[in-house]
């Protein structure tokens, strides 16, 4: 019983064929391609509106140089949101629960921002290591602390996403099991548990969207510092 | 050989409703045949009709002739019960999770569906309205330009009348001036002639007076003193006679 809770996080494979690629490609099939028609259907209109608004909001604090990252960040956001939301369906595998995937997103992008900062404006990039107005005796210690904080960022990004989603999924499984087991024994308690499950599902929906947004927002913040 | 297949199937599909039209459009993008499948049927505006959110209406239409209205429902119930009883679908904790997420999804769609659809429609409407506004503005400005052009043409017509009137005016002024000058000339000439006449009259009068004076002078000169005494004596005798006649009458 304990093992089966973590089965959902195992990378799916069938007859030895890894299905991870299939799981990752699925979001792409769900979004219609923009047509050359002037007025499109509702889905396409909403999709276009959302992507426009999101990119506009994200690119607002970034200058012209940061606009090169618009495509990357917006597509990352849409991808993560879709993966997270699809994972809430029963019997589905959520790729973003895999630490390898999230680190694969976080480390290269974070490293890119750091390298851009070091290359284009090394003084300012290094200057971020010392917050303004620190008392002089604290400076060496603070530099060390800020460096550690800088290097923790990719780990934090990846682990944040993984941990949130894994925890959420596990909680759903646990509470659903509780409701399932209690249903023939104590129906009233099972009903309460089912209500809890409903609220948790709502929370998980919110968490799915928020975590994706936070991931992309933090990356844009790091970019803003360094671009 | 495949292109012939595409031809035949495309022509059959064109008339077969929204799905057929979609397939014709899709196969066009594959460029499997020459592009002579015109006129291409228009794409449908709304998606296919569904019942209960997931089951297409075509399924119900398909089963209606054989099993009536309740046919698809019986099929669904039977399938569900079959899967449950044979434990093809096992009820476990995931079922509860599926129920909860299912209810969240259904609630979300039912509550926010119409407003989201209205929002999408509003976006499209605004797009169309903007283009329509441009078109209307262009139309209005062009109509106004036509109106103004017509007015200008009418004004141009009127200008000839204006010129005629001005010409008449000037002609009248000239005429008046000419007449005045003619009048003045006539007056002057008359004055000259009157002067001559007056001169002649004066001349004749003076001659007359002169002659009368000369005649008087000569008559008075010719009266001798003898005649004067005789005339005075006659006058006195006449007077005496008259005095006698008046005394008598008084």
């Amino acid at each position: 019983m304990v093992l089966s809770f973590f089965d959902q996080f195992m990378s799916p494979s069938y007859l030895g064929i890894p299905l991870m690629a299939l799981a990752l490609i699925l979001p792409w099939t769900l979004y219609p391609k923009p047509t050359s028609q002037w007025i499109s259907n509702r889905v396409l209109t909403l999709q276009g509106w959302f992507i426009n608004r999101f990119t506009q909001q994200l690119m607002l604090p970034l200058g012209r140089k940061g606009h090169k990252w618009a495509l990357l960040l917006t597509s990352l956001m849409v991808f993560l949101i879709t993966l997270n939301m699809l994972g809430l369906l029963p019997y589905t595998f959520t790729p973003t629960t895999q630490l390898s995937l999230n680190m694969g997103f976080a480390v290269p992008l974070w490293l890119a921002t750091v390298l851009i900062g070091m290359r284009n404006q090394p003084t300012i990039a290094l200057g971020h290591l010392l917050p303004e107005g620190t008392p002089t005796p604290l400076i060496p210690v603070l530099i060390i602390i800020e460096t550690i904080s800088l290097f923790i960022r990719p780990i934090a990004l990846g682990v944040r996403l993984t941990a949130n989603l894994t925890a959420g999924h596990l909680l759903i499984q646990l509470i659903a099991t509780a409701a399932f087991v209690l249903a023939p024994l104590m129906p009233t308690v099972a009903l309460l548990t089912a209500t809890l499950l409903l609220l948790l599902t709502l929370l998980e929906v919110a968490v799915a969207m928020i975590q994706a947004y936070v991931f992309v927002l933090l990356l844009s913040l790091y970019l803003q510092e360094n671009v | 050989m495949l292109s012939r297949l595409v031809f035949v199937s495309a022509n059959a599909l064109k008339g077969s409703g929204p799905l057929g039209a979609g397939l014709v459009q899709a196969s066009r993008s594959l460029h499997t045949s020459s592009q002579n499948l015109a006129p291409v049927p228009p794409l449908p505006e709304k998606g296919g009709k569904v019942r209960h959110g997931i089951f297409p209406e075509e399924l119900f239409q398909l089963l209606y002739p054989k099993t009536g209205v309740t046919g698809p429902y019986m099929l669904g119930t039977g399938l569900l019960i079959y899967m449950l009883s044979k434990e093809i679908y096992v009820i476990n904790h995931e079922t509860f999770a599926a129920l909860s997420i299912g209810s969240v999804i259904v609630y979300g769609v039912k509550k926010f569906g119409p407003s989201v659809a209205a929002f999408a429609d509003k976006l499209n409407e605004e797009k169309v309205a903007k283009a329509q506004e441009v078109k209307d503005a262009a139309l209005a400005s062009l109509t106004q330009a036509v109106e103004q052009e017509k007015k200008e043409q009418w004004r141009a017509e009127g200008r000839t009348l204006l010129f005629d009137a001005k010409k008449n005016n000037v002609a009248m002024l000239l005429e008046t001036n000419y007449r005045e000058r003619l009048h003045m000339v006539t007056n002057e000439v008359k004055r000259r002639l009157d002067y001559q006449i007056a001169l002649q009259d004066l001349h004749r009068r003076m001659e007359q007076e002169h002659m009368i004076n000369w005649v008087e002078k000569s008559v008075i000169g010719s009266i001798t003193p003898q005649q004067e005494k005789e005339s005075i004596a006659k006058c006195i005798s006449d007077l005496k006679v008259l005095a006698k006649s008046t005394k008598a009458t008084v």
Side-chain angles (χ1 to χ4, degrees), chain B residues 181-209:
Chain B
R181 295 213 328 248
L182 199 66
H183 205 67
M184 204 167 65
V185 159
T186 325
N187 279 351
E188 285 294 306
V189 164
K190 196 152 127 333
R191 262 182 50 205
R192 299 274 189 287
L193 291 175
D194 281 346
Y195 169 73
Q196 292 300 327
I197 290 173
L199 200 66
Q200 278 181 0
D201 278 348
L202 179 73
H203 218 65
R204 196 155 349 120
R205 207 171 60 237
M206 279 188 75
E207 278 177 4
Q208 255 182 348
E209 276 186 13

Side-chain angles (χ1 to χ4, degrees), chain B residues 161-175:
Chain B
L161 289 174
L162 188 69
F163 292 151
D164 280 344
K166 280 200 173 152
K167 253 189 258 180
N168 281 346
N169 204 14
V170 166
M172 259 199 295
L173 279 174
L174 284 173
E175 183 79 22

Side-chain angles (χ1 to χ4, degrees), chain B residues 80-147:
Chain B
L80 191 64
I81 290 181
Y82 164 69
M83 293 214 295
L84 283 172
S85 73
K86 292 267 186 197
E87 298 245 317
I88 295 176
Y89 176 69
V90 181
I91 294 194
N92 52 11
H93 61 282
E94 294 267 11
T95 316
F96 279 78
L99 280 173
S100 78
I101 189 78
S103 61
V104 166
I105 290 176
V106 167
Y107 173 74
V109 168
K110 281 245 174 318
K111 183 130 196 273
F112 302 113
S115 61
V116 167
F119 177 70
D121 285 340
K122 188 168 74 91
L123 284 174
N124 276 347
E125 285 295 311
E126 275 170 15
K127 212 167 158 189
V128 170
K130 258 194 252 181
Q132 184 73 17
E133 201 182 299
V134 168
K135 182 175 152 193
D136 285 344
L139 263 175
S141 77
L142 283 173
T143 331
Q144 204 187 26
V146 165
E147 297 271 317

Side-chain angles (χ1 to χ4, degrees), chain B residues 234-245:
Chain B
K234 186 147 195 296
C235 287
I236 289 170
S237 64
D238 278 337
L239 274 170
K240 276 182 184 167
V241 168
L242 268 170
K244 272 184 197 152
S245 67

